[in-house]
Amino acid sequence: MRSVTWLGLSALAFSLPLSAAAAPEFYGRINISLDRLSDYREGGLPGAFNDVAAGETPLEDGWFVGSNASRLGIRGREALDVAPLSVIYQLEAGYNADGDGDTFTTRNSFVGLGTPLGDVFAGRYDSPVKMVEGRVDQFNNTAADIGHYVYGQRRNDDTLNWESPKWGDLVLRAQLGPGEAEQVGDEEKDGLADTWALSATWNPDKLYAAVAYESSYLEVDNPAAPPAAVAADLELLRGEVGVALGPVDLGALVERTRLDPDQAGLDRADSTSYVVSAGWRLPSRLTLKAQAGRVDGDDFGYENDILVVGADYQLARGTKVYGLLSGSDATVAYPGGAGNDDSGNLFSVGMEHKF
């Protein structure tokens, strides 16, 4: 009797309409460069603002070996038994291949559902402001990444996300981020949408245009009573355009940053960043590139003009070597009236392999 029961259960199990699980995709990227900095900004623009506020220079000198957004990940999309839904997932970790800092950090990682009205998912994910970057940044994932001169390259924690299907040439994105009762200054962030963002991207054949907005918050130092911290509202507005003219890609980006401390006596601070870029793909596996950026952040005590030129050489579909030269002219005004005006430069050579 027992054997018959088990046989019956086994037959029932095999008769259920279970979807075959698709194999996940394992992927990664290793990007390492040798960089020579002389009075040049290392790291993202928010770090520069923080250094200036603390009375420290955001500019670096010396030789560095950098791991530029190296990563490992697993991702997939599988149809579910409940049609037309699918499960979508990604686990991605940043990997410091040069040995500096923590070996692994969390990058875009989420789980959610694919539906006819778009993908809905939760986890840590790029802000819609960052997502509209497109191909404007010709030096993405290098020591001259636009993160040096735009603020909105943010990856937000604890987010709920929606990405629309492609409606013609239009894609919409939305993101919510609860504060999870985080204490920011003397304010507790406990709402569902303490961070929220929207974007629209229009991408016909040879054109690209996008606009994005984010409302969030930060903790900023109170210069009247250091090291006391206060909550500050953060607003980001970005617009960009791009066009492909045969083998030539042209792009432009403008971003407005506003930081409004929630305390009397602390002034609102505004910053505007600009980027223009060009890339020329040659038949001989070579791409020549140029990019100019400006940080107009007088309220933050930091302004900078940056010019970058460089080239990529494609060794195979997923492997390239690259080199770049950059010059900058940074003006730093520290709290209390001190300041400096430094011309700097960057030389970088590197290799990237995707798998």
Side-chain angles (χ1 to χ4, degrees):
M1 179 66 67
R2 180 176 301 175
S3 60
V4 173
T5 301
W6 281 111
L7 286 172
L9 291 176
S10 300
L12 176 63
F14 280 111
S15 69
L16 292 176
L18 297 178
S19 299
E25 176 192 2
F26 175 69
Y27 67 95
R29 174 184 304 179
I30 304 174
N31 184 330
I32 295 183
S33 63
L34 175 65
D35 311 322
R36 176 67 174 99
L37 282 72
S38 176
D39 286 329
Y40 195 93
R41 172 72 196 137
E42 185 199 27
L45 185 59
F49 289 159
N50 294 338
D51 290 343
V52 173
E56 301 172 355
T57 178
L59 307 178
E60 293 278 1
D61 292 282
W63 288 94
F64 298 85
V65 172
S67 177
N68 303 296
S70 299
R71 67 198 69 168
L72 297 169
I74 297 173
R75 60 192 171 198
R77 180 184 293 264
E78 301 173 16
L80 296 175
D81 296 333
V82 182
L85 299 180
S86 58
V87 61
I88 57 175
Y89 60 91
Q90 179 170 302
L91 298 173
E92 185 175 284
Y95 177 69
N96 283 319
D98 59 350
D100 292 338
D102 297 331
T103 302
F104 293 104
T105 56
T106 304
R107 289 177 57 90
N108 289 341
S109 299
F110 59 84
V111 67
L113 291 174
T115 79
L117 296 178
D119 293 341
V120 181
F121 53 96
R124 187 168 198 249
Y125 203 66
D126 289 342
S127 164
V129 174
K130 183 177 188 296
M131 291 289 289
V132 301
E133 175 186 330
R135 295 180 60 184
V136 170
D137 186 10
Q138 289 288 338
F139 296 92
N140 189 35
N141 297 330
T142 71
D145 189 286
I146 63 170
H148 295 294
Y149 37 100
V150 298
Y151 202 99
Q153 300 298 94
R154 293 163 54 85
R155 182 173 295 116
N156 292 324
D157 298 334
D158 312 312
T159 65
L160 307 172
N161 301 270
W162 170 72
E163 180 174 324
S164 77
K166 192 171 183 180
W167 291 321
D169 297 316
L170 179 68
V171 174
L172 304 179
R173 295 183 177 91
Q175 184 178 83
L176 294 180
E180 297 194 336
E182 179 182 355
Q183 194 70 30
V184 183
D186 58 358
E187 183 178 345
E188 185 177 74
K189 297 293 184 179
D190 57 2
L192 174 63
D194 289 314
T195 293
W196 64 272
L198 298 169
S199 73
T201 300
W202 182 64
N203 190 196
D205 188 27
K206 300 295 184 181
L207 298 175
Y208 181 88
V211 62
Y213 174 83
E214 178 178 339
S215 174
S216 188
Y217 61 90
L218 289 175
E219 190 172 72
V220 299
D221 290 335
N222 180 358
V230 298
D233 295 325
L234 172 68
E235 292 183 87
L236 294 166
L237 178 63
R238 176 183 290 185
E240 61 181 277
V241 294
V243 60
L245 302 174
V248 177
D249 295 322
L250 303 175
L253 178 153
V254 180
E255 180 180 286
R256 183 73 168 172
T257 302
R258 173 169 292 173
L259 195 60
D260 193 2
D262 187 21
Q263 181 169 309
L266 294 182
D267 296 330
R268 188 187 75 193
D270 295 313
S271 172
T272 306
S273 298
Y274 309 89
V275 181
V276 292
S277 66
W280 182 19
R281 301 182 301 276
L282 299 175
S284 57
R285 298 175 177 258
L286 185 68
T287 300
L288 303 179
K289 307 187 294 185
Q291 192 158 289
R294 174 169 174 76
V295 183
D296 189 1
D298 184 61
D299 289 352
F300 291 90
Y302 180 74
E303 297 182 344
N304 202 353
D305 293 296
I306 299 172
L307 178 64
V308 194
V309 296
D312 297 345
Y313 186 78
Q314 207 74 30
L315 298 172
R317 182 176 180 181
T319 306
K320 70 178 182 181
V321 291
Y322 61 87
L324 64 91
L325 292 170
S326 180
S328 69
D329 183 13
T331 301
V332 184
Y334 305 109
N340 61 293
D341 188 346
D342 287 316
S343 296
N345 56 75
L346 162 70
F347 165 74
S348 178
V349 293
M351 181 174 179
E352 178 183 82
H353 176 65
K354 299 177 184 178
F355 56 90

